[in-house]
């Protein structure tokens, strides 16, 4: 009899252990392995992905450090400022009630998607054009900025628009950007030099390594403001709708972003941010 009761007790303990294990792996599961710091994994939905961000207590956002007006790091203060930064702060405020519950991480056109899908960041807010090709790799928010591709040249250049570019022209661009693909599609045989970031491309233009630099007009206006010896020429020759990217399947994060954008538009705060950085209202 004693032996029988002993066996029943052991079985009961084992059953409780199994139930405890199931509870730890259910909703709001065990995060001890990552200390609550890892970005949500692809495919998490419902409260999973957003819940993991809330548990961590801060938002990890990939932004550019070299793009005046959108994301530019001040070497003196170390602060990163721009349109994308203010949008990121608004998202953090929507999620946490505190715009400073935010950690910015530098990305480039080449590194941003790998960093997102590696779990280093929760989202990309970095002048990223929504394309069908990119939708295969990431999910996008609603459009948060409408841009168009154009050209930056030295003042006095014979190039006044894309119609002046030929196969003999050399254009500078950023690796991984849609701008490089677009210019190759629009000007047959054109030579393109690609750089890791826009600042390197701009420095190359100033060093005479190319005839023009191409990317979205909003970014180019930031460069011309940086050095008035250079100007944006011609009309935009593409539509570049910017979206905020998250890992595929993280629909709850997309919803939080879209809710933030709606709040900004409804309150008029979006127009204030736009005018602060771009120098005019969105409708102008």
């Amino acid at each position: 009899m004693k032996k029988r009761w002993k066996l029943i007790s052991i079985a009961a303990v084992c059953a409780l252990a199994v139930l405890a294990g199931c509870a730890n792996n259910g909703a709001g599961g065990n995060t001890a392995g990552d200390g609550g710091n890892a970005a949500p994994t692809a495919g998490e939905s419902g409260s999973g992905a957003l819940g993991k961000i809330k548990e961590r207590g801060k938002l990890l956002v990939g932004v550019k450090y070299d793009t005046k007006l959108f994301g530019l790091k001040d070497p003196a203060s170390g602060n990163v400022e721009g349109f994308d930064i203010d949008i990121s702060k608004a998202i953090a405020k929507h999620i946490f009630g505190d715009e400073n519950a935010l950690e910015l991480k530098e990305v480039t056109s080449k590194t941003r998607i790998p960093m997102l899908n590696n779990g280093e960041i929760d989202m990309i807010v970095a002048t990223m054009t929504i394309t069908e090709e990119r939708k295969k790799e990431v999910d996008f928010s609603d459009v948060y900025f409408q841009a168009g591709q154009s050209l930056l040249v030295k003042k006095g250049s014979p190039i006044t628009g894309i119609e002046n570019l030929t196969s003999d022209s050399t254009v500078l661009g950023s690796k991984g950007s849609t701008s490089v693909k677009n210019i190759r599609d629009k000007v047959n045989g054109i030579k393109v030099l690609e750089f890791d970031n826009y600042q390197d491309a701009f420095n190359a233009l100033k060093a005479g390594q190319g005839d023009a630099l191409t990317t979205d007009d909003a970014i180019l206006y930031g460069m011309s403001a940086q050095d008035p010896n250079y100007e944006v020429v011609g009309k935009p020759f593409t539509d570049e709708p910017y979206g905020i990217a998250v890992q595929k399947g993280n629909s709850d994060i997309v919803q939080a972003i879209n809710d933030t954008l709606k709040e900004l538009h409804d309150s008029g705060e979006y127009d204030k941010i736009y005018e602060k950085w771009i120098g005019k209202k969105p409708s102008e």
Side-chain angles (χ1 to χ4, degrees):
M1 182 66 71
K2 287 182 179 178
K3 185 174 180 180
R4 184 180 177 187
W5 278 110
K6 187 175 182 180
L7 290 172
I8 291 171
S9 298
I10 291 171
V13 170
C14 290
L16 287 170
V18 170
L19 288 171
C22 290
N24 282 338
N25 289 314
N30 188 0
T31 58
D34 58 32
N37 289 321
T41 55
E44 287 185 298
S45 59
S47 62
L50 189 59
K52 195 166 186 178
I53 292 172
K54 289 179 177 179
E55 279 181 27
R56 186 200 304 132
K58 65 179 176 181
L59 190 63
L60 307 179
V61 182
V63 299
K64 289 181 177 176
Y65 280 20
D66 68 332
T67 307
K68 191 174 176 65
L69 304 185
F70 284 85
L72 186 67
K73 185 173 183 178
D74 184 333
S77 67
N79 295 330
V80 187
E81 297 180 332
F83 186 91
D84 286 347
I85 312 307
D86 284 359
I87 295 295
S88 300
K89 288 179 178 179
I91 298 168
K93 186 174 182 179
H94 175 84
I95 294 172
F96 296 103
D98 179 7
E99 68 173 26
N100 295 314
L102 177 70
E103 182 178 336
L104 302 176
K105 295 196 174 188
E106 182 180 13
V107 299
T108 65
S109 297
K110 183 180 179 181
T111 65
R112 56 193 174 187
I113 290 180
M115 285 179 66
L116 178 68
N117 289 332
N118 285 343
E120 297 175 57
I121 52 179
D122 300 317
M123 61 186 67
I124 302 167
V125 189
T127 64
M128 188 172 180
T129 301
I130 300 170
T131 67
E132 292 304 314
E133 186 175 352
R134 286 174 177 163
K135 285 180 182 178
K136 297 173 185 176
E137 297 184 83
V138 300
D139 285 342
F140 281 103
S141 70
D142 294 337
V143 175
Y144 78 97
F145 189 93
Q146 183 66 51
Q149 188 171 343
S150 196
L151 301 172
L152 182 74
V153 299
K154 189 170 185 178
K155 283 184 176 177
S157 169
I159 296 171
T160 58
I162 191 172
E163 63 277 4
N164 300 127
L165 297 178
T166 68
S167 58
D168 293 325
S169 305
T170 298
V171 172
L172 313 176
S174 177
K175 292 177 183 176
S177 66
T178 54
S179 306
V180 167
K181 180 181 182 301
N182 290 341
I183 202 72
R184 284 182 171 135
D185 289 344
K186 291 183 177 294
V187 185
N188 190 39
I190 195 167
K191 295 182 284 293
V192 180
L193 296 181
E194 298 180 58
F195 296 84
D196 287 333
N197 56 62
Y198 291 118
Q199 192 58 54
D200 287 349
F202 191 25
N203 289 337
L205 179 65
K206 290 189 279 189
Q209 294 181 37
D211 303 300
L213 191 159
T214 190
T215 187
D216 305 338
D217 52 0
I219 298 173
L220 296 179
Y221 283 125
M223 294 179 183
S224 64
Q226 198 175 334
D227 188 336
N229 292 310
Y230 292 81
E231 62 181 347
V232 181
V233 294
K235 294 181 179 179
F237 48 87
T238 66
D239 288 323
E240 304 294 333
Y242 292 169
I244 296 170
V246 306
Q247 288 185 359
K248 288 197 73 65
N250 290 345
S251 57
D252 55 342
I253 303 180
V254 172
Q255 188 61 55
I257 295 168
N258 287 343
D259 288 347
T260 303
L261 296 176
K262 185 177 186 305
E263 288 171 4
L264 291 174
H265 282 289
D266 289 349
S267 67
E269 187 62 27
Y270 179 88
D271 287 5
K272 292 178 183 177
I273 294 172
Y274 194 103
E275 192 167 9
K276 171 185 174 182
W277 294 106
I278 310 305
K280 60 179 182 178
K281 293 190 186 320
S283 56
E284 293 178 355

